[in-house]
Amino acid sequence: MIKVLIVEDDPMVAEFNKRYLKEMNGFVLSGIVHNVKDAREFLKDEQVDLILLDVYMPGANGLKLLHFIREQNIS
């Protein structure tokens, strides 16, 4: 199973992604977070295989999270 984290500040879009993911064989939802800070905390404790990442969010954007993931060598 491919473990997926959804990082999305819009609750409706996050719910849409969650529902779509449930229909996909081989994928399982690991969690939903609504900002980069919470995503960083989540990734400290959980390993995921795929991140559905919103780029435009208040505060730090998704590209900053991607930079953090690469910097920390999270795989």
Side-chain angles (χ1 to χ4, degrees), residues 19-45:
R19 289 180 186 188
Y20 182 76
L21 195 61
K22 283 184 179 181
E23 300 298 320
M24 302 297 297
N25 291 328
F27 293 84
V28 63
L29 180 63
S30 289
I32 297 174
V33 295
H34 301 288
N35 58 56
V36 170
K37 179 180 175 271
D38 291 345
R40 290 173 68 156
E41 290 297 316
F42 185 93
L43 292 170
K44 285 182 183 177
D45 300 323

Side-chain angles (χ1 to χ4, degrees), residues 22-75:
K22 283 184 179 181
E23 300 298 320
M24 302 297 297
N25 291 328
F27 293 84
V28 63
L29 180 63
S30 289
I32 297 174
V33 295
H34 301 288
N35 58 56
V36 170
K37 179 180 175 271
D38 291 345
R40 290 173 68 156
E41 290 297 316
F42 185 93
L43 292 170
K44 285 182 183 177
D45 300 323
E46 300 288 332
Q47 183 177 355
V48 298
D49 303 306
L50 176 67
I51 299 175
L52 298 180
L53 178 60
D54 185 7
V55 173
Y56 299 107
M57 294 181 283
N61 66 33
L63 295 177
K64 293 204 186 262
L65 178 61
L66 184 57
H67 180 74
F68 168 79
I69 289 169
R70 288 181 177 166
E71 214 174 46
Q72 299 299 311
N73 199 26
I74 296 172
S75 56

